[in-house]
Amino acid sequence: MATRSPDLSAKNPDWWRQAVVYQVYPRSFADADGDGVGDLRGAAGRLDHLAALGVDALWLSPFYPSELADGGYDIADHRDVDPRLGTLDDFDALVAEAHRLGLKVVVDIVPNHTSRLHPWFQEALRSGPGSAARDRYVFRPGTGEHGELPPTDWQSVFGGSAWRRTGDGDWYLHLFAPEQPDLNWANDEVRADFRTTLRFWAERGVDGFRVDVAHGLAKDLAEPLRNTGDIGATGEESLLRVAPGSHPYWDREEVHAIYRDWRTVLDGYSPPRTAVAEAWVPGARRAAYARPDELGQAFNFEYLEAAWDADELRELITASLSGARAAGACATWVLSNHDVVRHASRLLLPPGTDAEAWLLSDGRTPALDTAAGLRRARAATLLMLALPGSAYLYQGEELGLPEVADLPAEALRDPVWEQTGHTRKGRDGCRVPLPWTATGPSYGFGPGPAWLPQPPAFASYAVETQTGADGSTLELYRAVLRLRRKLLEGETLTWSAGSAADVLDFARTPGWRCVTNLGDAPVPLPRAEVLLASGPLGGSGDLPPDTTVWLG
C-alpha cells in the first residue's frame, strides 16, 4: 500500500502556503483504457506514486469535453468530463482516492474563453449580430469598406489576428486559437455561470483552482476599440509600454473585481477553497492577484524564466518574497509546466538562446549534454524546494525527463505549429506521455502506443527503473520532499554574508541552510552536517559546480 501523505489542512487550513503541488497533465499521465490517451482512471490508479513521492496536492490540468484545439484548454462544457477521459463518476473516484491518500486536489478553471463547440457559442452563431447570445462573447463588425477587415490589430498569442470572421460578416475575438472564442466578462450571465462552475467542483470535493489566463478576462470594449499599435500585441513586454492596468486586454484593473467576487464563493466552504493565478504580468502587478481577498496565490513566472545566474536569482528571490509578504500572500516557485521547455533541458541552453529556434532544430543547435542538464536541474530543484512558500512540480520532472525536442512534424498536435506557419514548434515536447516501466509499447503509460511518440531513452527514466536505485532522480525527489516536510517552518530566509559571487547561500528556520554553486569551479563547502545533496560531493571538502546542498 502506498505511503499516505499527511493531510496538512488537518493542522492548518492555510496548508497551501508551503505545499508542494504536482501537476498532472491527464492526457499524458496514465492510460487505463488503451486508446493511447491518458484518462482519469489511469490517473487514479497512479496516485500512489504521488503519495510515495511526498507531495501535498495534485493539480489536474483540463479534463473537460474538448475538441483538443489547444490541448484541452478549449472547453465545451466547464462542468463535465471529456468522454475520452472518463465520466463524472471517474472524477469522483479520483478525488476520493486522492483524499484517502492525504492528497489535495486542484483543478484548472478556464474563464477567458470557451470552445467554439460550447452551446453558448453555437447559439451565438445561430442568433446573429446584435443578439443577447452574442453579448456573452466579444463580437464586432469589421472595418474596411465592406467590413472585410478585422475590428482591430489585436494579435493572437498563438500567432496571427485575434479576430475570426463569421458567415454573417461579424467578427469574434479569440486571443488564443480560433476555436477558443473569448467570453465577455462585462456580461452578468457569464459571471453568474462561473460562480456556478466554482461551486459545482467545490461541492464535488475539489480543494482549489488554478485560474488559466487570469490576467485576460477584463477587456476595454468601449467603442471605438483601441488598436495596440506599437504597444505590442502579446507578452509581458507589451504591458511595460503602457500605464499599469491600461492595456486594452491584458491585466486591466477591472479584473480584480471578478476575483474579489470569486473569493466570496471560495470562502463559503470550510476550509476555504484555494486558488492560484496564471498571470503573465510583471512582478509588481502579480501580487495583486495573490491578495487574500482575491485568489491568494499567483505563479511566479519570473523565477521559471530566470537564467542560471546567482545574482539574477538572488535579486528575484528577494523581490518575490518581499512582494508576496506585502500582499499578505506566500511566494510560489515553479521550474517546469505544460507550456515550457522542461528545465532539465532549458537550464542548459546558453544565455540568449532562442528556445523556439532550438526546438525547430530538433534540439541540435545547440546540442545539449543530457547528463549536465540533469545535474543542473537537480541542483535547481533542491534550491527551489528550500525556498519559503509553495512549490509546483510538473509531472515527469521527478524522473529527470528532458524535453523531447526532436518530435517529427507529422506528430505535432500543438495549434501553435499550424497557426505560426510552422515557425514555432509548440509545446508537445514537454507533453510526451510518462514512462512507468522500462518495456512495453508505451513504457507502461498504457497497454498500447501513446498519442505522442516516446523516445527509446525513456526506458532509462522510467519509474520502474529508478525506484530503489541509489542516486536516481526519483529517489532524490522522494528524499528531499521527506526532509522538507520535517524541516519546514516559517516563511522567511536569511542570506548568508560573504558567500562567493556564483553561490546562493541562505539560512532557514530552525537552523538549516541551503547552498548552491552556480559557477564553473568548485567552492569551499561550509563546515556543517550534510543533510542532502543534489549530486556527488567527492572527498575534497568542496561544493562542485551545478550542485545544491542542504546543511544542518
Side-chain angles (χ1 to χ4, degrees):
M1 180 173 292
T3 303
R4 189 180 190 277
S5 289
D7 183 354
L8 296 186
S9 67
K11 297 187 298 183
N12 181 5
D14 291 338
W15 60 271
W16 47 272
R17 293 185 69 93
Q18 297 263 36
V20 176
V21 182
Y22 182 103
Q23 181 187 358
V24 170
Y25 190 74
R27 290 174 172 82
S28 297
F29 191 66
D31 171 23
D33 63 12
D35 66 355
V37 177
D39 45 48
L40 295 186
R41 287 197 297 114
R46 293 292 191 179
L47 291 183
D48 56 348
H49 172 70
L50 275 63
L53 193 62
V55 301
D56 304 304
L58 68 139
W59 151 28
L60 202 62
S61 291
F63 50 86
Y64 312 106
S66 170
E67 65 174 320
L68 301 182
D70 181 22
Y73 283 85
D74 49 313
I75 297 173
D77 186 341
H78 291 80
R79 299 193 286 273
D80 204 352
V81 174
D82 191 314
R84 291 165 293 187
L85 273 65
T87 65
L88 282 171
D89 286 342
D90 292 328
F91 177 83
D92 293 341
L94 183 149
V95 172
E97 175 65 2
H99 288 167
R100 184 186 72 81
L101 292 168
L103 298 166
K104 299 296 186 184
V105 178
V106 175
V107 300
D108 253 298
I109 194 94
V110 184
N112 181 70
H113 45 259
T114 72
S115 165
R116 65 179 176 180
L117 301 183
H118 192 287
W120 274 5
F121 192 68
Q122 291 300 304
E123 180 187 359
L125 293 178
R126 292 191 303 269
S127 299
S131 63
R134 288 206 173 178
D135 188 60
R136 298 178 184 132
Y137 294 89
V138 183
F139 280 86
R140 290 293 186 276
T143 58
E145 185 177 354
H146 303 291
E148 74 278 10
L149 300 176
T152 68
D153 65 354
W154 298 359
Q155 295 291 295
S156 163
V157 172
F158 292 160
S161 174
W163 296 95
R164 174 63 63 96
R165 199 176 192 187
T166 64
D168 54 32
D170 251 4
W171 296 71
Y172 69 86
L173 179 68
H174 61 89
L175 289 179
F176 293 86
E179 297 87 350
Q180 295 170 288
D182 278 51
L183 288 162
N184 173 18
W185 273 86
N187 183 292
D188 289 339
E189 194 174 358
V190 170
R191 296 188 180 222
D193 192 70
F194 270 88
R195 286 193 291 269
T196 299
T197 295
L198 292 171
R199 293 187 179 102
F200 178 86
W201 295 111
E203 288 162 13
R204 296 194 93 92
V206 163
D207 302 287
F209 300 91
R210 178 261 190 189
V211 184
D212 186 65
V213 196
H215 60 304
L217 278 57
K219 300 171 176 72
D220 181 2
L221 299 178
E223 297 291 350
L225 296 182
R226 287 191 290 148
N227 284 324
T228 54
D230 59 3
I231 292 173
T234 62
E236 289 180 55
E237 65 276 5
S238 69
L239 292 171
L240 299 175
R241 300 189 183 110
V242 296
S246 68
H247 192 282
Y249 48 85
W250 294 136
D251 189 38
R252 293 189 59 80
E253 288 299 321
E254 301 95 312
V255 79
H256 297 289
I258 296 170
Y259 298 131
R260 285 191 291 273
D261 178 55
W262 283 19
R263 178 45 58 191
T264 64
V265 175
L266 301 178
D267 283 351
Y269 296 91
S270 181
R273 299 311 192 240
T274 70
V276 57
E278 182 210 31
W280 290 89
V281 300
R285 297 284 298 173
R286 185 181 64 243
Y289 294 84
R291 289 179 292 208
D293 66 340
E294 294 192 31
L295 295 176
Q297 272 193 336
F299 282 127
N300 185 348
F301 291 120
E302 284 109 336
Y303 188 77
L304 181 151
E305 295 176 327
W308 187 244
D309 176 84
D311 288 338
E312 181 178 347
L313 285 170
R314 186 183 297 107
E315 181 178 342
L316 197 156
I317 290 166
T318 300
S320 298
L321 291 172
S322 175
R325 188 163 50 249
C330 66
T332 66
W333 315 102
V334 61
L335 288 168
S336 283
N337 64 34
H338 64 292
D339 282 335
V340 299
V341 172
R342 286 186 176 274
H343 69 275
S345 299
R346 187 186 71 250
L347 289 176
L348 208 62
L349 292 174
T353 300
D354 182 338
E356 296 288 353
W358 178 74
L359 288 171
L360 283 172
S361 77
D362 288 343
R364 296 188 177 95
T365 309
L368 300 183
D369 180 338
T370 55
L374 180 57
R375 182 168 60 250
R376 185 168 289 184
R378 287 162 58 112
T381 293
L382 258 66
L383 168 61
M384 177 182 75
L385 291 172
L387 296 170
S390 60
Y392 286 78
L393 310 180
Y394 178 51
Q395 64 178 43
E397 70 170 82
E398 78 278 15
L399 307 178
L401 292 183
E403 183 80 359
V404 183
D406 59 352
L407 287 171
E410 61 271 17
L412 298 177
R413 305 288 187 89
D414 193 330
V416 168
W417 175 242
E418 293 296 338
Q419 281 197 227
T420 61
H422 300 176
T423 61
R424 289 169 54 194
K425 200 168 185 180
R427 300 159 293 179
D428 290 321
C430 68
R431 300 177 179 182
V432 174
L434 296 191
W436 295 92
T437 62
T439 59
S442 58
Y443 302 104
F445 168 70
W451 67 281
L452 283 172
Q454 301 155 297
F458 265 31
S460 64
Y461 291 99
V463 174
E464 174 186 72
T465 303
Q466 296 197 47
T467 296
D470 187 37
S472 74
T473 301
L474 176 58
E475 293 300 343
L476 175 67
Y477 268 74
R478 289 171 173 171
V480 70
L481 291 175
R482 284 194 301 269
L483 185 58
R484 184 182 187 273
R485 195 181 295 276
K486 291 178 182 177
L487 295 177
L488 210 59
E489 187 175 313
E491 294 186 17
T492 60
L493 61 75
T494 302
W495 293 108
S496 302
S499 58
D502 290 327
V503 172
L504 292 178
D505 183 349
F506 58 84
R508 294 288 312 273
T509 303
W512 61 288
R513 184 173 175 183
C514 175
V515 185
T516 303
N517 181 4
L518 295 90
D520 297 326
V523 296
L525 185 65
R527 295 176 62 86
E529 178 189 0
V530 174
L531 302 177
L532 190 65
S534 65
L537 298 179
S540 65
D542 289 339
L543 182 63
D546 291 344
T547 306
T548 296
V549 65
W550 289 13
L551 304 172

